[in-house]
Amino acid sequence: MNYPNGRKNGTQKLRSQNKAETTFSNRGMTLEEDIELSNDYYRNANIAIVHKKPTPVQIVNVDYPKRSAAVIKEAYFKQASTTDFNGVYRGRYIDFEAKETKNKTSFPLSNIHQHQIDHMYACQQHGGICFIIVKFAVFDEVYLLPASKLFLFWNDQFKGGRKSIPYDYMKAEAELLPFHYQARIDYATALDKLYF
Amino acid sequence: MNYPNGRKNGTQKLRSQNKAETTFSNRGMTLEEDIELSNDYYRNANIAIVHKKPTPVQIVNVDYPKRSAAVIKEAYFKQASTTDFNGVYRGRYIDFEAKETKNKTSFPLSNIHQHQIDHMYACQQHGGICFIIVKFAVFDEVYLLPASKLFLFWNDQFKGGRKSIPYDYMKAEAELLPFHYQARIDYATALDKLYF
């Protein structure tokens, strides 16, 4: 989870010399990396405790060489049964999934799976705060969409509705997350506005 | 997460024919399996949403054969940065670790890692409910110990204190979790008593 102090921090420092503290462009890393750096910052600054869940793997064959670490020789990727991120913020359980799209006009719902919807719906029922973070790579814009709004589109698609969330809807109804030097994907500030 | 309907359910059924609904013996499965079955029950009964986190694995080499699933050819176990289980119950974030010991007189603190203590401490600071579930295999007894009590022993060991939690302390200060047919490790009921 914690990136070594080498490359990534170096990259950040170079950036901060050239850019204002808040900008909407030149994020550079993947959305997931940016969120993990934000989670690191939130943890170190004692703002929130959020972790990415490990990739689920079905381990079939493990080698135990003498005097060295066990080597997994055969394993397969499993479908995750939940979302990628969860944790605690201001006393609330939070749970979210992060997705990038190259699409310019909409976010295709095919990026999300039914079991993730079910998971977020259940967590919300129990008092959790659930949302998705969507990056429109072409515009280098990142949005936080509350799960309750996602559910509307999700359910509509099975009643003849569209199979994507329009970019214009995101612009109007989701929270744009500005890039910050420390909290690169500053979802906690958006949650303050939306839920507290 | 969801066990297939075969072996495990069969085992459960055989048990329920011979035993009262609540018993403290003959659990049979590993603690982790019992907790996962309890989580499944809690989810299906819409009582709590709790999942075990996947085992963290550092993937080094993946093979992508044509027309079949990617095969991980080389990977290593990584140390988890958090505890094994987390989720949401009655609007609260919950987070816990589960450990079995064969020791008859105490639970050795060497079963827990500093980073897990740090993680639980941080989660508790943010309003989460943190605890450990400890199984004394010899007695087939399972206890829930709130993290705040664990922290006392943890910190004491660095000031010349003992490096384990006495079984007698657990008996007196932790919650004994009775075996139930559905919630085999019924931690939610214990949480009701302790935190709500």
Side-chain angles (χ1 to χ4, degrees), chain A residues 35 42 72 77-78 89 94-95 124-125 130-131 146 150-151 177 189:
Chain A
I35 292 174
Y42 287 153
I72 299 163
F77 293 103
K78 278 198 299 188
Y89 178 58
I94 67 168
D95 194 298
Q124 216 171 257
Q125 273 193 299
C130 303
F131 53 93
L150 168 64
F151 298 156
L177 303 181
T189 302

Side-chain angles (χ1 to χ4, degrees), chain B residues 109 112 117 120 132 145-154 165:
Chain B
L109 291 170
I112 307 286
I117 296 286
M120 286 192 279
I132 57 171
L145 183 73
S148 49
K149 291 181 177 176
L150 169 64
F151 298 156
L152 299 178
F153 281 91
W154 187 264
I165 305 177

Side-chain angles (χ1 to χ4, degrees), chain A:
Chain A
M1 277 310 191
N2 288 303
Y3 292 104
N5 275 326
R7 195 178 61 80
K8 310 242 169 182
N9 275 352
T11 309
Q12 275 190 333
K13 268 184 193 149
L14 276 176
R15 266 197 197 128
S16 67
Q17 285 158 9
N18 300 322
K19 302 250 169 227
E21 274 240 307
T22 300
T23 160
F24 289 88
S25 61
N26 271 40
R27 283 187 172 90
M29 291 187 234
T30 68
L31 176 62
E32 193 174 294
E33 286 171 324
D34 275 339
I35 292 174
E36 292 220 63
L37 285 177
S38 309
N39 291 344
D40 291 347
Y41 166 69
Y42 287 153
R43 274 201 306 280
N44 295 332
N46 208 21
I47 291 168
I49 309 299
V50 178
H51 284 271
K52 184 182 179 296
K53 291 183 196 166
T55 306
V57 156
Q58 179 74 49
I59 297 165
V60 175
N61 189 6
V62 183
D63 206 25
Y64 298 93
K66 270 188 190 166
R67 270 182 273 271
S68 51
V71 189
I72 299 163
K73 288 290 196 184
E74 185 186 355
Y76 298 89
F77 293 103
K78 278 198 299 188
Q79 193 172 56
S81 44
T82 64
T83 49
D84 271 354
F85 299 91
N86 76 355
V88 60
Y89 178 58
R90 295 181 65 177
R92 298 283 296 277
Y93 173 82
I94 67 168
D95 194 298
F96 61 99
E97 183 68 20
K99 291 290 177 194
E100 282 189 66
T101 182
K102 288 176 181 158
N103 201 304
K104 289 177 200 177
T105 55
S106 68
F107 172 69
L109 291 170
S110 56
N111 282 287
I112 307 286
H113 299 290
Q114 181 67 51
H115 67 270
Q116 294 177 320
I117 296 286
D118 296 341
H119 173 70
M120 286 191 279
Y121 187 81
C123 288
Q124 216 171 257
Q125 273 193 299
H126 289 273
I129 293 176
C130 303
F131 53 93
I132 56 170
I133 292 179
V134 175
K135 178 173 181 173
F136 285 91
V138 176
F139 306 123
D140 206 7
E141 287 175 359
V142 178
Y143 292 91
L144 184 157
L145 183 73
S148 49
K149 290 181 177 178
L150 168 64
F151 298 156
L152 299 177
F153 281 91
W154 187 266
N155 293 331
D156 253 23
Q157 71 178 322
F158 303 112
K159 300 170 198 155
R162 47 181 304 152
K163 301 204 182 305
S164 63
I165 305 177
Y167 171 71
D168 289 343
Y169 178 89
M170 294 294 280
K171 242 180 137 64
E173 297 288 332
E175 283 295 316
L176 182 62
L177 303 181
F179 177 87
H180 286 106
Y181 169 58
Q182 291 178 300
R184 301 168 71 85
I185 306 290
D186 189 14
Y187 60 83
T189 302
L191 296 181
D192 290 341
K193 193 174 154 187
L194 292 168
Y195 297 97
F196 293 95

Side-chain angles (χ1 to χ4, degrees), chain A residues 46-47 54 72 75 82 86 91 126, chain B residues 46-47 51 54 72 75 82 86 91 126:
Chain A
N46 208 21
I47 291 168
I72 299 163
T82 64
N86 76 355
H126 289 273
Chain B
N46 207 23
I47 291 168
H51 285 270
I72 298 163
T82 64
N86 76 355
H126 289 273

